[in-house]
Amino acid sequence: MNGVRRSLLHLPEDPEGRDAWFMAMALEEAAAAAEREEVPVGAVLVGEEGVLARCGNRCLELKDPTAHAEMLAITTACAARGEGRLPGTTLYCTLEPCFMCAGALLHARVARIVFAARDPKFGACASLARLPEDRRLNHRCLVEEGLHADLSAAMLREFFKDRR
């Protein structure tokens, strides 16, 4: 992921460029998780004030099945803001959030979820359900998928190939 870490001064102004830039950060976090022998998933939570959290999976390290990148990003971002809700924010994640993470993102009032690769076994934003867009809920998130899906999927395939 050479060249991914760039100054916020060079953040692209166009929305697509910004999305790609923040997803590249999430891919960095996923690569760092893989180096720790964690499932390579990364998440970046962004608000108007900039990056609130950059996290990768830490389930093995923390011996905590809830220590998904998205959950850690929510906790970190809430602490950074000093609030229990995150309205107006966007979560960039390398893998489609699971039911636990999608539910937490809804409770946190995250406005938008951008994920790279689908998760056919646990994904709750497109694969198995569309929880963030469910009209029965009192809050919904916009969901966009596919940005850098090829890179994320390749990282996950490589990680699991080495373990089988």
Side-chain angles (χ1 to χ4, degrees):
M1 302 303 304
N2 292 337
V4 172
R5 288 188 191 267
R6 293 174 259 186
S7 166
L8 286 176
L9 298 174
H10 297 100
L11 179 64
E13 290 185 25
D14 65 291
E16 288 180 13
R18 289 174 63 89
D19 285 350
W21 198 76
F22 289 123
M23 187 61 78
M25 279 186 185
L27 286 164
E28 271 191 337
E29 294 301 322
E35 288 175 12
R36 295 188 306 270
E37 298 188 15
E38 298 275 0
V39 175
V41 177
V44 175
L45 227 160
V46 179
E48 287 182 15
E49 62 271 52
V51 175
L52 296 167
R54 292 179 61 151
C55 302
N57 275 359
R58 292 190 178 275
C59 296
L60 297 174
E61 176 186 339
L62 299 175
K63 296 175 179 51
D64 179 357
T66 69
H68 291 193
E70 304 95 319
M71 299 293 283
L72 297 171
I74 291 167
T75 301
T76 302
C78 284
R81 272 198 172 172
E83 298 176 17
R85 304 286 173 134
L86 300 166
T89 59
T90 298
L91 177 89
Y92 296 89
C93 191
T94 60
L95 185 64
E96 177 183 2
C98 69
F99 285 87
M100 173 184 67
C101 294
L105 291 162
L106 287 165
H107 281 291
R109 302 298 193 260
V110 169
R112 185 169 164 245
I113 300 167
V114 179
F115 71 87
R118 282 192 176 199
D119 183 351
K121 294 183 180 179
F122 283 97
C125 296
S127 297
L128 298 178
R130 294 188 176 277
L131 191 61
E133 299 170 337
D134 192 319
R135 295 239 176 253
R136 296 171 294 180
L137 302 174
N138 66 334
H139 176 73
R140 285 172 288 290
C141 302
L142 295 174
V143 176
E144 297 176 32
E145 67 173 288
L147 182 61
H148 293 318
D150 53 342
L151 295 174
S152 177
M155 194 180 305
L156 286 157
R157 272 192 306 276
E158 187 67 24
F159 177 82
F160 286 112
K161 181 181 88 171
D162 292 345
R163 277 144 186 82
R164 291 185 177 134

